[in-house]
Amino acid sequence: QLLGTIHRGDYTHVWMLNDSFILSLYDFPEKLKSICAAKGIKTFAYMPVDAPVEPEWCDIARAVDCPVAYTRYGKAQFDRWLAVTSNRTVRVLPHGVDVEKYHPLPNREALRQKWFKGWLEPDDLLLLNVNAHQRRKGLPQSFQVLAELI
């Protein structure tokens, strides 16, 4: 759908924010590059990286005009593969958090009692692994760490 929209529209730039492995599927990078080159459209991909990057996940970074990672770690992960296949490098634009919106809740003990009553004791430690069940999120490794902690 995105490729069709870009092809039909009168755009100067395309800005994408998504995981590189998603943007590298189904020949999307090559098709995007072809359409944008033909129409003179500049492309930008802002990509989170929180685990080692596989070589095929770099296809989008090769295809866009300006590949950007959230962190120096992400840049290093991309650059490791891009140096082998192109003279490309990834830029870094730090991803921040608005501490006015994202902060520890007040009255945490009362909330913990309300939400987890009968399930957690006051001195229990609650550990969360929030992910989309993707292998890059390391679910098996999370269970290994949890087992060691227990």
Side-chain angles (χ1 to χ4, degrees):
Q1 283 182 316
L2 178 60
L3 293 173
T5 300
I6 294 167
H7 183 70
R8 289 186 303 275
D10 187 23
Y11 301 101
T12 57
H13 294 77
V14 172
W15 189 94
M16 298 171 287
L17 183 155
N18 210 325
D19 293 305
S20 63
F21 65 90
I22 296 293
L23 294 173
S24 293
L25 294 172
Y26 308 114
D27 298 321
F28 177 79
E30 295 79 17
K31 293 172 185 173
L32 175 72
K33 187 172 185 171
S34 175
I35 291 169
C36 291
K39 298 189 77 159
I41 299 171
K42 297 292 182 192
T43 53
F44 180 101
Y46 191 43
M47 302 165 291
V49 176
D50 56 10
V53 170
E54 300 289 333
E56 61 273 12
W57 299 353
C58 295
D59 291 348
I60 192 65
R62 285 185 208 89
V64 297
D65 296 308
C66 188
V68 178
Y70 289 16
T71 63
R72 287 188 302 272
Y73 171 81
K75 173 186 174 40
Q77 286 297 309
F78 280 115
D79 287 351
R80 178 177 64 148
W81 295 113
L82 294 175
V84 173
T85 58
S86 67
N87 60 356
R88 263 295 147 95
T89 186
V90 172
R91 297 178 186 179
V92 176
L93 180 60
H95 183 68
V97 174
D98 182 346
V99 295
E100 294 296 318
K101 294 179 183 172
Y102 303 100
H103 52 81
L105 294 172
N107 208 5
R108 291 171 69 187
E109 288 305 318
L111 291 172
R112 182 181 169 123
Q113 179 66 18
K114 175 183 171 184
W115 292 339
F116 301 110
K117 185 175 183 166
W119 192 63
L120 285 178
E121 297 298 324
D123 292 333
D124 285 349
L125 175 64
L126 176 63
L127 301 173
L128 298 175
N129 179 336
V130 179
N131 68 64
H133 194 60
Q134 298 164 346
R135 88 178 148 108
R136 70 186 182 88
K137 296 292 186 174
L139 193 55
Q141 292 84 356
S142 294
F143 287 136
Q144 289 173 336
V145 169
L146 180 58
E148 289 295 320
L149 288 172
I150 290 171

